[in-house]
Amino acid sequence: MMGTNSKIPVAMETEDEVQEPAQLSDDTATCIVSVKGLKENWQKWSSEQQEYQKNNPFSHDSRLSVLVPQRGQYDYGRPPQGSRTEQRGKDAHKHISREVQELCEVIRNIGEPPDTIVTGSRNTGNVTSVTFGKLFEHYVTISNKLVGILLRARKQGLVEFEGEMLWQRKDDHVVITLVQ
């Protein structure tokens, strides 16, 4: 609570007599303009929030103004276009794509033709392979997400390996082949 000595300029208005800001002191006019601006900003935010809640499928507002996408439609399970959520998803996709490309480059650099790994003989083929153990030893200093990136690269058809999941030490002998 404010002390008794502090004075706040207040403009007294009645229906008959409304003072214009020019008639008030500068401090009082600033106070009225600031409060009016705050009120307008609050109303604007309130209106935007109400409109957002009408479009929010999880809102308890039963007057949805937009149809909620159904399973199988293009928009189902996707963020609204132009939203920050959509932008974060796009940024994450770009980041993961860069990591997959980096993984493929590491395999090209440390890998050998697949026959060399299995039989010890040289093959001048177009394909490069590396064991999971060797890849893990080289890649561990680059990223701690090697297995997840390998799964993503396999989903994109860039690498092939046996099994669903690769485990350190248990699957060190598994051959990972870079598909070119």
Side-chain angles (χ1 to χ4, degrees), residues 3-176:
T4 56
N5 292 339
S6 58
K7 294 182 180 179
I8 300 173
V10 177
M12 302 298 287
E13 298 178 358
T14 63
E15 289 181 17
D16 298 334
E17 154 185 332
V18 176
Q19 293 180 340
E20 294 294 324
Q23 297 172 341
L24 301 173
S25 69
D26 289 339
D27 292 336
T28 307
T30 304
C31 183
I32 291 173
V33 171
S34 296
V35 171
K36 186 183 272 187
L38 287 173
K39 180 182 174 189
E40 289 172 358
N41 285 342
W42 177 259
Q43 289 296 335
K44 180 181 175 190
W45 178 85
S46 176
S47 299
E48 289 173 355
Q49 191 65 18
Q50 287 174 354
E51 190 62 34
Y52 173 76
Q53 287 299 331
K54 286 180 183 176
N55 297 331
N56 184 355
F58 302 107
S59 173
H60 296 291
D61 190 355
S62 61
R63 301 166 290 147
L64 291 175
S65 64
V66 212
L67 293 175
V68 178
Q70 300 299 314
R71 185 174 292 196
Q73 290 180 334
Y74 175 76
D75 290 349
Y76 182 77
R78 295 181 186 264
Q81 287 188 338
S83 68
R84 288 188 288 172
T85 304
E86 181 189 37
Q87 186 59 44
R88 283 190 293 267
K90 287 179 180 179
D91 293 345
H93 181 74
K94 287 178 189 175
H95 178 74
I96 295 296
S97 295
R98 278 193 305 267
E99 288 202 15
V100 168
Q101 289 173 350
E102 185 178 345
L103 169 70
C104 292
E105 194 61 37
V106 168
I107 293 173
R108 275 188 205 96
N109 291 339
I110 66 171
E112 301 170 356
D115 291 342
T116 306
I117 294 172
V118 178
T119 63
S121 65
R122 283 278 173 198
N123 181 359
T124 59
N126 195 359
V127 179
T128 305
S129 295
V130 66
T131 61
F132 178 66
K134 184 176 179 181
L135 180 62
F136 192 87
E137 290 298 319
H138 281 76
Y139 206 83
V140 74
T141 59
I142 300 170
S143 173
N144 59 354
K145 313 178 268 300
L146 174 62
V147 175
I149 296 170
L150 275 169
L151 292 174
R152 181 69 176 232
R154 178 169 68 178
K155 186 176 180 180
Q156 294 177 3
L158 300 173
V159 297
E160 293 177 349
F161 56 89
E162 290 186 22
E164 289 208 20
M165 182 66 73
L166 296 174
W167 304 97
Q168 186 182 8
R169 292 187 189 89
K170 178 184 169 219
D171 294 321
D172 283 352
H173 64 282
V174 174
V175 177
I176 300 168

